[in-house]
Protein backbone atom coordinates (compact mmCIF):
# COMPACT_ATOMS: atom_id res chain seq x y z
CA UNK A 1 0.00 0.00 0.00
CA UNK A 2 2.85 2.37 0.83
CA UNK A 3 4.57 1.67 -2.48
CA UNK A 4 1.32 2.41 -4.32
CA UNK A 5 1.02 5.75 -2.51
CA UNK A 6 4.66 6.58 -3.25
CA UNK A 7 4.26 5.82 -6.95
CA UNK A 8 1.00 7.79 -7.07
CA UNK A 9 2.75 10.77 -5.51
CA UNK A 10 5.65 10.35 -7.97
CA UNK A 11 3.28 10.39 -10.94
CA UNK A 12 1.40 13.44 -9.62
CA UNK A 13 4.67 15.30 -8.98
CA UNK A 14 5.94 14.37 -12.44
CA UNK A 15 2.84 15.87 -14.04
CA UNK A 16 3.17 18.96 -11.83
CA UNK A 17 6.84 19.44 -12.68
CA UNK A 18 6.09 19.26 -16.39
CA UNK A 19 2.96 21.42 -16.45
CA UNK A 20 3.91 24.21 -14.02
CA UNK A 21 4.87 27.37 -15.90
CA UNK A 22 7.25 28.76 -13.26
CA UNK A 23 10.70 27.23 -13.16
CA UNK A 24 11.52 27.10 -9.44
CA UNK A 25 8.27 25.38 -8.35
CA UNK A 26 8.74 22.90 -11.18
CA UNK A 27 12.27 22.14 -9.98
CA UNK A 28 11.12 21.78 -6.39
CA UNK A 29 8.42 19.30 -7.39
CA UNK A 30 11.07 17.46 -9.43
CA UNK A 31 13.32 17.32 -6.34
CA UNK A 32 10.52 15.89 -4.19
CA UNK A 33 9.72 13.42 -6.98
CA UNK A 34 13.33 12.17 -7.08
CA UNK A 35 13.47 11.92 -3.29
CA UNK A 36 10.27 9.86 -3.17
CA UNK A 37 11.55 7.64 -5.96
CA UNK A 38 14.71 7.04 -3.93
CA UNK A 39 12.58 6.10 -0.93
CA UNK A 40 10.64 3.71 -3.16
CA UNK A 41 13.86 1.99 -4.21
CA UNK A 42 15.03 1.76 -0.60
CA UNK A 43 11.66 0.28 0.36
CA UNK A 44 12.19 -2.52 -2.14
CA UNK A 45 15.60 -3.36 -0.73
CA UNK A 46 17.70 -1.58 -3.36
CA UNK A 47 19.48 0.68 -0.88
CA UNK A 48 22.41 1.60 -3.11
CA UNK A 49 20.14 2.55 -6.01
CA UNK A 50 17.90 4.52 -3.67
CA UNK A 51 20.79 6.41 -2.15
CA UNK A 52 22.20 7.18 -5.60
CA UNK A 53 18.77 8.43 -6.63
CA UNK A 54 18.55 10.70 -3.61
CA UNK A 55 22.12 12.00 -3.63
CA UNK A 56 22.72 12.31 -7.36
CA UNK A 57 19.33 13.44 -8.62
CA UNK A 58 17.83 15.17 -5.62
CA UNK A 59 21.12 16.61 -4.46
CA UNK A 60 23.20 17.12 -7.57
CA UNK A 61 20.98 17.51 -10.59
CA UNK A 62 18.40 19.75 -8.93
CA UNK A 63 21.11 22.01 -7.49
CA UNK A 64 22.74 22.17 -10.92
CA UNK A 65 19.41 23.11 -12.53
CA UNK A 66 18.74 25.76 -9.88
CA UNK A 67 22.24 27.13 -10.51
CA UNK A 68 21.47 27.27 -14.22
CA UNK A 69 18.19 29.07 -13.57
CA UNK A 70 20.03 31.54 -11.34
CA UNK A 71 22.65 32.25 -13.99
CA UNK A 72 20.41 32.29 -17.07
CA UNK A 73 17.23 33.63 -15.53
CA UNK A 74 13.68 32.63 -16.27
CA UNK A 75 12.86 35.10 -19.04
CA UNK A 76 13.10 33.09 -22.22
CA UNK A 77 12.35 34.51 -25.66
CA UNK A 78 9.04 33.67 -27.27
CA UNK A 79 9.33 30.72 -29.58
CA UNK A 80 7.51 29.91 -32.76
CA UNK A 81 5.83 26.58 -33.30
CA UNK A 82 8.27 24.03 -34.64
CA UNK A 83 6.28 21.21 -36.15
CA UNK A 84 9.41 19.55 -37.50
CA UNK A 85 10.91 19.30 -34.00
CA UNK A 86 7.80 17.69 -32.56
CA UNK A 87 7.59 15.30 -35.50
CA UNK A 88 11.24 14.27 -35.22
CA UNK A 89 10.95 13.69 -31.46
CA UNK A 90 7.85 11.55 -31.95
CA UNK A 91 9.53 9.51 -34.70
CA UNK A 92 12.70 8.98 -32.66
CA UNK A 93 10.69 7.94 -29.61
CA UNK A 94 8.61 5.49 -31.65
CA UNK A 95 11.85 4.20 -33.18
CA UNK A 96 13.29 3.51 -29.72
CA UNK A 97 10.22 1.45 -28.90
CA UNK A 98 10.03 -0.46 -32.20
CA UNK A 99 13.67 -1.08 -33.18
CA UNK A 100 14.54 -3.34 -30.19
CA UNK A 101 11.75 -5.72 -31.21
CA UNK A 102 13.03 -5.86 -34.80
CA UNK A 103 16.56 -6.86 -33.79
CA UNK A 104 17.40 -10.57 -33.76
CA UNK A 105 17.59 -12.14 -30.33
CA UNK A 106 20.92 -13.38 -29.06
CA UNK A 107 21.28 -16.42 -26.85
CA UNK A 108 23.84 -15.23 -24.35
CA UNK A 109 22.71 -17.42 -21.45
CA UNK A 110 24.90 -20.32 -22.62
CA UNK A 111 28.01 -18.15 -22.49
CA UNK A 112 27.21 -16.60 -19.14
CA UNK A 113 29.54 -17.45 -16.30
CA UNK A 114 28.88 -17.48 -12.62
CA UNK A 115 26.64 -14.65 -11.45
CA UNK A 116 29.11 -13.70 -8.73
CA UNK A 117 31.87 -13.30 -11.33
CA UNK A 118 29.63 -11.06 -13.42
CA UNK A 119 28.91 -8.87 -10.40
CA UNK A 120 32.63 -8.65 -9.60
CA UNK A 121 33.23 -7.25 -13.07
CA UNK A 122 30.79 -4.44 -12.31
CA UNK A 123 31.79 -3.79 -8.71
CA UNK A 124 35.47 -4.66 -8.76
CA UNK A 125 36.56 -1.25 -10.03
CA UNK A 126 33.70 0.71 -8.48
CA UNK A 127 35.88 2.96 -6.34
CA UNK A 128 38.18 3.88 -9.22
CA UNK A 129 35.26 4.63 -11.55
CA UNK A 130 33.54 6.72 -8.86
CA UNK A 131 36.68 8.76 -8.21
CA UNK A 132 37.20 9.27 -11.95
CA UNK A 133 33.62 10.45 -12.47
CA UNK A 134 33.87 12.74 -9.43
CA UNK A 135 37.03 14.33 -10.84
CA UNK A 136 35.40 14.76 -14.26
CA UNK A 137 32.28 16.29 -12.68
CA UNK A 138 34.34 18.64 -10.50
CA UNK A 139 36.39 19.69 -13.52
CA UNK A 140 33.26 20.43 -15.55
CA UNK A 141 31.77 22.42 -12.69
CA UNK A 142 34.98 24.38 -12.17
CA UNK A 143 35.26 25.07 -15.90
CA UNK A 144 31.65 26.24 -16.07
CA UNK A 145 32.05 28.59 -13.11
CA UNK A 146 35.34 29.92 -14.50
CA UNK A 147 33.72 30.51 -17.89
CA UNK A 148 30.82 32.39 -16.30
CA UNK A 149 33.27 34.52 -14.32
CA UNK A 150 35.22 35.31 -17.50
CA UNK A 151 32.04 36.23 -19.40
CA UNK A 152 30.88 38.44 -16.55
CA UNK A 153 34.28 40.14 -16.43
CA UNK A 154 34.21 40.76 -20.21
CA UNK A 155 30.73 42.31 -19.93
CA UNK A 156 31.95 44.68 -17.21
CA UNK A 157 34.90 45.80 -19.35
CA UNK A 158 32.82 46.54 -22.43
Amino acid sequence: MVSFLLLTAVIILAVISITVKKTVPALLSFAILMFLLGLYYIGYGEKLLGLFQIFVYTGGIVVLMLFGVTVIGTNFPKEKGRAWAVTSIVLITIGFFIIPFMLPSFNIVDNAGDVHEQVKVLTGNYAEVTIFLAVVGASLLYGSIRMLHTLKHEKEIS
Side-chain angles (χ1 to χ4, degrees), residues 21-68:
K21 297 290 183 188
K22 295 189 176 189
T23 309
V24 175
L27 283 174
L28 290 177
S29 66
F30 180 75
I32 297 169
L33 174 147
M34 290 297 138
F35 183 77
L36 290 179
L37 201 55
L39 290 180
Y40 176 77
Y41 291 147
I42 291 172
Y44 270 101
E46 298 294 332
K47 293 179 183 173
L48 184 64
L49 181 62
L51 290 175
F52 274 0
Q53 182 76 27
I54 290 171
F55 289 134
V56 172
Y57 283 102
T58 306
I61 301 298
V62 171
V63 168
L64 184 64
M65 285 193 272
L66 283 172
F67 176 73

Side-chain angles (χ1 to χ4, degrees), residues 10-120:
V10 163
I11 291 171
I12 291 170
L13 286 169
V15 169
I16 289 172
S17 67
I18 291 172
T19 57
V20 170
K21 297 290 183 188
K22 295 189 176 189
T23 309
V24 175
L27 283 174
L28 290 177
S29 66
F30 180 75
I32 297 169
L33 174 147
M34 290 297 138
F35 183 77
L36 290 179
L37 201 55
L39 290 180
Y40 176 77
Y41 291 147
I42 291 172
Y44 270 101
E46 298 294 332
K47 293 179 183 173
L48 184 64
L49 181 62
L51 290 175
F52 274 0
Q53 182 76 27
I54 290 171
F55 289 134
V56 172
Y57 283 102
T58 306
I61 301 298
V62 171
V63 168
L64 184 64
M65 285 193 272
L66 283 172
F67 176 73
V69 167
T70 304
V71 170
I72 296 172
T74 57
N75 296 330
F76 297 110
K78 300 279 182 185
E79 60 188 54
K80 298 176 184 175
R82 297 181 181 150
W84 60 270
V86 174
T87 306
S88 63
I89 289 172
V90 168
L91 290 175
I92 290 171
T93 305
I94 290 172
F96 278 127
F97 285 115
I98 293 175
I99 290 174
F101 294 109
M102 296 173 66
L103 296 174
S105 61
F106 298 105
N107 191 5
I108 59 172
V109 176
D110 295 337
N111 298 334
D114 185 23
V115 174
H116 297 291
E117 292 298 320
Q118 292 176 3
V119 172
K120 285 182 185 176

